[in-house]
Amino acid sequence: MWGLVPLFWPLLKPAGAVEILAHRMVWSLVFVGIALLALRRWSWIPELVRSPRKLALITVAAAVISVNWGLYIWSVNTGRVVEASLGYFINPLVTIALGVLVLKERLRPAQWAAVGVGFAAVLVLAIGYGQPPWISLVLASSFAIYGLVKKKLNLGGLESLAAETAVQFLPALGYLVWLGTQGTLAFGSEGAGHAALLVSTGIVTAVPLVCFGAAAIRVPLSTLGLLQYLAPTFQFLLGVLYFHEAMPPERWAGFSLVWLALTLLTWDALRTARRSRAAMAAASAEAVASVEAASIEAASVAPKVHQGR
């Protein structure tokens, strides 16, 4: 669904990117609120309200994801789908860089190599474009910061989206009301079908996120990481094959370097996961062997004690 969403945003024209963003915020809260009421999941709200730190993190998350959503909608509707897909391809590399700079994490050699190759890719693309690929960099950075904030926040996907869209709701609704007073609001002026599509932005936002949250507890993390490459891959293919965006040689070279970096990351993640599983299996086997040895020893001592009595 995330990979195919570039097909959806152009359907909302002639609404501008900011109006679409505002509708996305307003209707996402409505949809998520209905889902929370249906599931009776509101016990987290009082705890959140009593925590100034969490409220601050929610506000930061809402601001950052607003930038991400708005820029992505604008990119798709102005014929920059390929450049937008690049942002989500390089997002893992930016996330790793944030881990080093903010969380002081240590990288393995393969991760350092991947970051270096990713940096080279950005340079190649910057030379090809004649300027840095700012759309890709802002999308990647904003989503990486969003992920970092969500990690510190530690809220469920549905709950977090509800809290974030609650922060976004009043500014978004205010902007829509202002557009209405100016006579430039697309909602309602393009027919019922167009209005229904704008309302469905809430469903388009929430349903993939709910599915992702459900998948996260059912599949291994390494598999989940690989699946996240599907969305930008679909977006890239749509940009090239459906929207017929240009792919000059320097752009192919930059993308190839990004894909090489992601291959290095994937190989390193799978190797690390395999080693971790092997270490856990060995530790488990050792623990079982220790228990069995203790049981045998206890069984051999018991008759002697009985005989002594």
Side-chain angles (χ1 to χ4, degrees), residues 9-294:
W9 302 125
L11 300 178
L12 305 180
K13 293 178 179 180
V18 181
E19 181 181 346
I20 296 171
L21 174 63
H23 279 290
R24 187 177 189 180
M25 294 170 175
V26 168
W27 297 112
S28 292
L29 180 60
V30 172
F31 181 79
V32 173
I34 293 171
L36 289 173
L37 286 172
L39 297 171
R40 298 178 179 274
R41 283 163 57 178
W42 51 72
S43 59
W44 54 275
I45 297 176
E47 180 186 350
L48 176 63
V49 171
R50 289 193 298 267
S51 173
R53 177 180 174 274
K54 285 192 173 183
L55 287 174
L57 289 173
I58 283 289
T59 304
V60 172
V64 172
I65 202 61
S66 297
V67 172
N68 186 274
W69 285 356
L71 181 58
Y72 183 72
I73 294 167
W74 178 84
S75 301
V76 172
N77 284 357
T78 54
R80 293 172 169 85
V81 177
V82 169
E83 194 172 349
S85 74
L86 175 64
Y88 294 105
F89 274 126
I90 65 176
N91 170 250
L93 301 171
V94 178
T95 300
I96 287 175
L98 276 180
V100 173
L101 296 173
V102 178
L103 303 179
K104 308 301 180 184
E105 294 178 352
R106 292 186 177 182
L107 299 188
R108 295 182 291 274
Q111 291 175 313
W112 277 115
V115 171
V117 172
F119 182 73
V122 171
L123 286 179
V124 169
L125 289 166
I127 293 170
Y129 281 113
Q131 61 180 10
W134 67 270
I135 293 175
S136 307
L137 293 174
V138 172
L139 286 173
S141 302
S142 59
F143 204 71
I145 294 169
Y146 179 69
L148 178 64
V149 173
K150 296 268 278 191
K151 181 180 177 67
K152 291 182 174 294
L153 188 60
N154 194 25
L155 260 184
L158 199 61
E159 292 85 352
S160 179
L161 181 61
E164 291 155 21
T165 49
V167 172
Q168 297 167 335
F169 181 81
L170 286 179
L173 185 62
Y175 178 74
L176 293 176
V177 170
W178 179 78
L179 286 181
T181 62
Q182 300 298 307
T184 55
L185 184 68
F187 184 79
S189 63
E190 301 294 324
H194 184 263
L197 285 173
L198 286 170
V199 171
S200 67
T201 54
I203 298 174
V204 169
T205 300
V207 171
L209 186 66
V210 172
C211 291
F212 178 80
I217 61 175
R218 288 171 170 82
V219 298
L221 190 60
S222 55
T223 305
L224 200 66
L226 290 174
L227 289 174
Q228 289 187 74
Y229 294 141
L230 286 178
T233 299
F234 279 126
Q235 293 164 13
F236 172 78
L237 291 174
L238 282 173
V240 174
L241 301 176
Y242 182 80
F243 293 104
H244 304 293
E245 294 185 17
M247 282 296 291
E250 60 271 16
R251 185 176 277 193
W252 279 114
F255 268 84
S256 298
L257 286 172
V258 169
W259 293 330
L260 174 60
L262 295 179
T263 301
L264 287 171
L265 280 183
T266 303
W267 169 76
D268 180 68
L270 292 175
R271 183 184 63 168
T272 303
R274 188 166 55 247
R275 286 179 175 176
S276 298
R277 285 195 299 269
M280 289 177 64
S284 178
E286 185 178 348
V288 170
S290 299
V291 171
E292 288 178 348

Side-chain angles (χ1 to χ4, degrees), residues 288-303:
V288 170
S290 299
V291 171
E292 288 178 348
S295 299
I296 293 171
E297 183 179 353
S300 64
V301 169

